[in-house]
């Protein structure tokens, strides 16, 4: 049975796992729950591998491969089919989602082994995978939007998984509400897209876009409006300025949730959406500039916050926000393939960092403050070495996955067709900060003196169900970027070449020419560079990005190994700057004062007490009180006393007679 003709199987497997465990798993042993949860996602991954084999045999004119299953919505001229599509970009996302999800599911069987609500956790996790796959496989905006909203729902459920913990409840609500702000703009963008193009199918939309006049920097038209509305949705989902505040708080959820949803998959949905809508963004230069500016500022800003955080998961959370900024920077300067490449490598090394952090927390009995760790490298060696590999990757050290992808983004920002030196500089400084705070994490956690009580903490390596996924992701954190290695010596970037049809199919003519030139050799067009692979390799591994990474490593070593008293001296000498960064620029407090507190005041005293209780309840309760009072008075007439009834009959007769006589007299 060809998977290409039955794409729904890839979605149905994790959905079936969620349904079975959710409905029946409460009374089942954990081994059965594990089999269903891990098995369903693993089978989905195997189905993706078969899909890739079949996809490789498709002729170019049949890509993207689209399957329409049934008409979902039909109202007048508005028609939406439940349609799935496969192209090169979808293949990359399917591999990342299903493979990383499989590893996280395996890891979770060990990490969550002693937690309550075990079946519920895996139900939510399976359901998340289903919605994420729906998002990336949708052939139109409505199917994509179902997945988009679904992953937001699952994120809320998983962040607040420990629902008896007040901070987890608050974090779940914060994530749900904050991302809804972006989703509102995304919804308006979808409506405007239908009004403009007459269809929400990607193929029809892109064909219409390719026939339209592109906007310019001097003229922002409908295309720019749609693109910016879409990007606001991406800002919320992918935690960019100013809607990033939900992601650090989301660390209240179990660590596997952080690894899967908030590092490898859900938060990259915005990047995927921008890359998918590249024909639209490429014709809206103002929107592209906005994407690049927001990405660069977020990459720099979040990196500064990560410098002083002490919670190991919070450091990684702000690192995720920063790395997502690099992906948007790449897309904003037209290097869509580089942005998606960093999305893939980031899934490997950031997923590994979160899972390794979970292993550290597991070893420390729940401790997350790095100031209470130290000297762990000999006691949990697998965790140490795998986390070190991931740190080398995210820092951009040559040979590791992050070096290839981040270098491409910075190179495009510096010398690409949409280059911007200011944004490149922000990204470069952010890269240096990234190296510093990540090696600070390594040195505080695994080196130096042991800063914990051995009587309370019994440090131990994690079980194989947790360490095996670490080893697999460590391998990918080293070699996952080598598909672009030939590019360093003037050869073909195989990853970019693979995605080239997606970004070239509907590219504007000028962008297509520039992209072709870029594929010929992004380091420069001169034959001299292309004919000197050794020189080009030397330039790559001694470039500014590598230099700042090494400087960040050296400073972290100096501050936390060689001279550990220096950070305290700097803190005392610059208390204002230290407190500003340590307290995350008080952004949460500012948002609370400007938005949350006024809304709560209006909700409580205006909408609740005044409108609801005073007006609505007043009208309803007042009507009821009046009816009740009148009924009480009328009830007194029904006393059951025959003498009283006779009296009322006589009075009534007399009254009627008087009225009749008065009427007769008046008529005369």
């Amino acid at each position: 049975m060809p998977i290409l003709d039955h794409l729904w199987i890839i979605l149905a497997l994790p959905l079936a796992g969620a349904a079975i465990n959710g409905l029946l798993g409460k009374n089942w042993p954990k081994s059965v729950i594990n089999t269903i949860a891990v098995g369903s996602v693993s089978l989905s991954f195997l189905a993706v591998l078969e899909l890739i084999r079949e996809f490789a045999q498709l002729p170019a004119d049949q890509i993207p491969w689209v399957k329409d299953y049934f008409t979902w919505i039909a109202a007048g001229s508005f028609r939406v089919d439940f349609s799935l599509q496969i192209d090169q970009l979808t293949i990359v996302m399917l591999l990342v989602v299903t493979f990383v999800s499989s590893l996280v599911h395996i890891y979770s069987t060990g990490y969550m082994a002693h937690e309550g609500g075990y079946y519920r956790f895996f139900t939510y996790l399976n359901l998340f995978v289903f919605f994420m796959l729906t998002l990336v496989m949708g052939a139109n905006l409505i199917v994509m939007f179902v997945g988009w909203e679904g992953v937001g729902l699952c994120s809320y459920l998983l962040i607040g998984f420990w629902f008896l913990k007040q901070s987890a409840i608050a974090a779940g609500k914060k994530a749900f509400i904050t991302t809804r702000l972006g989703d509102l703009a995304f919804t308006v963008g979808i409506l405007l897209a239908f009004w403009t193009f007459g269809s929400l199918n990607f193929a029809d939309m892109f064909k219409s876009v390719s026939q339209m006049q592109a906007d310019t920097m001097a003229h922002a038209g409908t295309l720019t409006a749609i693109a910016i509305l879409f990007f606001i949705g991406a800002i919320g989902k992918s935690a960019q300025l100013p809607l990033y505040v939900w992601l650090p708080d989301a660390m209240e959820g179990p660590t596997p949730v952080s690894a899967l949803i908030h590092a490898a998959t859900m938060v990259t949905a915005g990047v995927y959406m921008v890359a998918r809508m590249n024909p639209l963004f490429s014709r809206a230069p103002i929107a592209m500039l906005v994407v690049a500016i927001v990405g660069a500022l977020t990459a720099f800003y979040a990196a500064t916050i990560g410098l002083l955080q002490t919670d190991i998961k919070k450091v990684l959370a702000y690192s995720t926000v920063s790395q997502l900024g690099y992906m948007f920077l790449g897309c904003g300067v037209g290097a869509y393939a580089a942005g998606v490449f960093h999305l893939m490598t980031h899934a490997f090394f950031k997923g590994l960092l979160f899972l390794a952090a979970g292993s550290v927390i597991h070893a420390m009995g729940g401790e997350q403050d790095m100031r209470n760790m130290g000297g762990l490298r000999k006691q949990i060696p697998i965790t140490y070495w795998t986390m070190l590999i991931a740190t080398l990757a995210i820092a951009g050290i040559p040979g590791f996955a992050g070096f290839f992808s981040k270098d491409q983004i910075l190179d495009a920002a510096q010398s690409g067709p949409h280059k911007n030196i200011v944004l490149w500089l922000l990204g470069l400084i952010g890269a240096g900060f990234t190296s510093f705070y990540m090696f600070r994490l390594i040195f505080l956690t695994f080196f130096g003196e042991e800063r914990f009580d051995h009587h309370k903490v019994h440090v131990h390596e994690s079980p194989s169900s947790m360490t095996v996924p670490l080893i697999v992701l460590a391998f990918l954190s080293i070699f996952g970027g080598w598909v672009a290695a030939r590019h360093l010596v003037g050869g073909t970037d195989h990853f970019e070449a693979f995605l080239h049809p997606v970004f070239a199919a509907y590219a504007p003519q000028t962008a297509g020419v520039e992209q072709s030139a870029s594929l010929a050799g992004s380091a420069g067009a001169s034959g001299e560079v292309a004919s000197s692979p050794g020189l080009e390799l030397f330039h790559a591994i001694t470039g500014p990005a590598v230099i700042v990474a090494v400087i960040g490593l050296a400073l972290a070593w100096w501050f936390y190994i060689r001279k550990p008293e220096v950070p305290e001296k700097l803190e005392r000498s610059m208390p204002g700057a230290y407190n500003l960064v340590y307290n995350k620029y008080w952004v949460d407090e500012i948002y609370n004062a400007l938005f949350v507190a006024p809304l709560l005041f209006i909700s409580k005293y205006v909408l609740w007490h005044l409108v609801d209780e005073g007006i609505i309840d007043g009208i309803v309760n007042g009507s009821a009180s009046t009816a009740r009072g009148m009924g009480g008075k009328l009830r007194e007439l029904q006393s059951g006393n025959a003498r009283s009834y006779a009296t009322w009959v006589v009075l009534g007769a007399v009254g009627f007679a008087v009225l009749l006589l008065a009427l007769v007299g008046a008529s005369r």
Side-chain angles (χ1 to χ4, degrees):
M1 182 175 62
I3 295 296
L4 279 171
D5 291 328
H6 300 84
L7 297 175
W8 58 268
I9 292 176
I10 298 174
L11 303 177
L13 286 167
L15 180 61
I20 294 171
N21 273 335
L23 296 173
L24 306 173
K26 185 175 183 179
N27 299 316
W28 284 351
K30 292 178 180 178
S31 58
V32 176
I33 296 172
N34 293 344
T35 301
I36 294 171
V38 177
S40 62
V41 178
S42 300
L43 287 173
S44 186
F45 171 64
L46 293 177
V48 170
L49 294 181
E50 170 60 19
L51 172 66
I52 294 172
R53 187 191 68 80
E54 297 175 14
F55 179 81
Q57 300 173 6
L58 283 177
D61 60 354
Q62 293 187 25
I63 299 175
W65 177 268
V66 179
K67 291 294 295 183
D68 298 325
Y69 289 100
F70 56 87
T71 298
W72 181 17
I73 303 172
S77 62
F78 181 69
R79 177 188 174 94
V80 175
D81 295 330
F82 183 80
S83 304
L84 304 177
Q85 79 169 29
I86 299 296
D87 62 5
Q88 291 85 349
L89 179 58
T90 312
I91 290 293
V92 172
M93 294 301 298
L94 287 178
L95 276 174
V96 169
V97 172
T98 56
F99 182 70
V100 175
S101 297
S102 299
L103 293 178
V104 172
H105 275 71
I106 294 170
Y107 178 94
S108 299
T109 61
Y111 190 88
M112 301 295 292
H114 304 293
E115 298 291 342
Y118 192 80
Y119 82 98
R120 184 166 52 88
F121 177 82
F122 280 101
T123 297
Y124 296 161
L125 218 56
N126 274 180
L127 190 62
F128 167 80
V129 175
F130 162 73
F131 280 122
M132 189 66 198
L133 292 173
T134 302
L135 190 158
V136 301
M137 294 179 70
N140 57 64
L141 278 171
I142 299 300
V143 175
M144 173 190 277
F145 192 67
V146 170
W148 186 276
E149 292 298 297
V151 295
L153 168 65
C154 293
S155 177
Y156 165 75
L157 294 172
L158 286 164
I159 293 170
F161 176 75
W162 288 312
F163 55 83
L164 297 179
K165 187 178 178 183
Q166 189 59 41
S167 58
I169 297 173
K173 291 188 293 185
K174 186 175 183 178
F176 195 80
I177 294 170
T178 304
T179 55
R180 292 292 77 72
L181 297 175
D183 293 350
L184 175 61
F186 192 19
T187 304
V188 175
I190 292 174
L191 296 175
L192 184 56
F194 177 73
W195 180 79
T196 304
F197 307 122
S199 174
L200 295 178
N201 293 325
F202 293 144
D204 297 335
M205 288 176 57
F206 297 162
K207 184 177 180 179
S208 298
V209 168
S210 64
Q211 297 171 354
M212 296 175 66
Q213 180 68 35
D215 290 350
T216 64
M217 293 298 292
H219 177 264
T222 305
L223 295 181
T224 300
I226 297 172
I228 290 178
L229 287 169
F230 282 176
F231 180 58
I232 294 173
I235 286 175
K237 192 68 69 180
S238 296
Q240 298 294 283
L241 285 169
L243 300 180
Y244 71 94
V245 292
W246 67 269
L247 195 146
D249 286 13
M251 298 303 107
E252 291 292 340
T255 299
V257 174
S258 304
L260 179 61
I261 296 182
H262 305 127
T265 51
M266 183 190 114
V267 291
T268 62
V271 181
Y272 166 76
M273 186 270 290
V274 172
R276 172 60 68 199
M277 304 303 297
N278 71 88
L280 177 63
F281 279 89
S282 296
R283 289 170 173 79
I286 293 177
M288 287 189 67
L289 182 60
V290 170
V291 173
I293 291 173
V294 171
L297 288 176
T298 304
F300 172 82
Y301 169 82
T304 63
I305 298 178
L307 295 173
L308 297 180
Q309 297 304 300
T310 56
D311 185 308
I312 190 170
K313 288 180 66 176
K314 286 293 180 69
V315 174
L316 299 179
Y318 283 104
S319 172
T320 297
V321 176
S322 180
Q323 296 303 307
L324 290 166
Y326 282 105
M327 299 175 206
F328 282 113
L329 173 60
C331 293
V333 297
Y336 297 105
V340 175
F341 189 26
H342 197 55
L343 182 157
M344 182 185 75
T345 60
H346 178 264
F348 299 149
F349 59 70
K350 183 54 66 63
L352 173 56
L353 284 169
F354 269 111
L355 294 184
S359 183
V360 171
I361 296 168
H362 177 82
M364 293 292 296
E367 179 61 65
Q368 295 185 197
D369 193 327
M370 296 183 296
R371 294 171 297 184
N372 299 326
M373 298 180 186
L376 297 178
R377 68 184 187 279
K378 294 182 180 179
Q379 300 178 61
I380 47 175
I382 297 177
T383 301
Y384 163 67
W385 283 107
T386 54
M387 198 167 197
L388 177 61
I389 289 171
T391 300
L392 292 167
I394 193 175
I397 301 301
F400 294 84
F403 160 73
F404 297 97
S405 55
K406 189 183 294 185
D407 183 72
Q408 286 190 7
I409 292 173
L410 293 175
D411 182 63
Q414 181 188 23
S415 58
H418 302 280
K419 63 184 178 182
N420 188 306
I421 298 302
V422 175
L423 300 183
W424 169 77
L425 187 60
L426 284 174
L428 186 67
I429 297 172
F433 288 165
T434 299
S435 178
F436 176 84
Y437 68 66
M438 285 308 307
F439 282 103
R440 169 179 177 265
L441 181 152
I442 291 293
F443 295 143
L444 284 177
T445 304
F446 296 101
F447 289 81
E449 298 179 355
E450 297 178 352
R451 299 180 296 276
F452 53 87
D453 188 347
H454 284 277
H455 297 291
K456 296 181 179 180
V457 179
H458 303 285
V459 180
H460 56 284
E461 187 61 274
S462 300
S464 58
S465 59
M466 295 171 64
T467 55
V468 169
L470 297 183
I471 295 170
V472 173
L473 286 173
F475 178 84
L476 291 172
S477 297
I478 298 174
F479 299 106
W482 280 80
V483 290
R486 285 175 58 90
H487 181 64
L488 299 180
V489 292
T492 302
D493 181 340
H494 293 293
F495 189 86
E496 185 176 3
F498 178 71
L499 290 179
H500 179 66
V502 176
F503 303 124
Y506 297 99
Q509 186 62 37
T510 54
V513 172
E514 289 165 345
Q515 190 174 29
S516 297
S518 176
L519 283 172
S522 63
S526 67
E528 180 182 353
V529 174
S531 62
S532 304
L535 181 61
E536 191 153 342
L537 177 61
F538 175 78
H539 286 161
I541 64 177
T542 59
V546 176
I547 292 173
V548 297
V550 173
I551 291 174
L553 189 162
L555 286 175
W557 175 82
W558 180 265
F559 282 3
Y560 296 99
I561 299 296
R562 185 72 177 84
K563 296 286 185 179
E565 69 278 3
V566 171
E568 295 183 4
K569 291 181 180 179
L570 289 175
E571 177 185 348
R572 290 193 297 268
S573 63
M574 297 185 296
Y578 178 88
N579 288 327
L580 179 66
V581 177
Y582 180 76
N583 290 287
K584 300 160 285 188
Y585 300 96
W586 290 289
V587 169
D588 283 296
E589 290 78 6
I590 293 172
Y591 282 6
N592 185 71
L594 292 179
F595 304 111
V596 179
L599 285 173
L600 287 176
F601 178 86
I602 293 172
S603 299
K604 182 176 181 180
Y605 294 103
V606 178
L607 299 179
W608 176 17
H609 291 314
L610 177 60
V611 177
D612 193 11
E613 291 183 336
I615 299 176
I616 298 175
D617 286 355
I619 293 173
V620 174
N621 295 336
S623 301
S625 298
T626 301
R628 184 167 54 248
M630 293 177 62
K633 295 297 183 182
L634 294 173
R635 184 178 59 191
E636 295 177 358
L637 300 177
Q638 304 295 325
S639 63
N641 190 318
R643 187 179 299 174
S644 175
Y645 291 164
T647 301
W648 284 109
V649 169
V650 172
L651 290 175
V654 172
F656 180 75
V658 171
L659 177 62
L660 183 62
L661 291 173
L663 291 174
V664 171
S667 65
R668 290 179 180 180

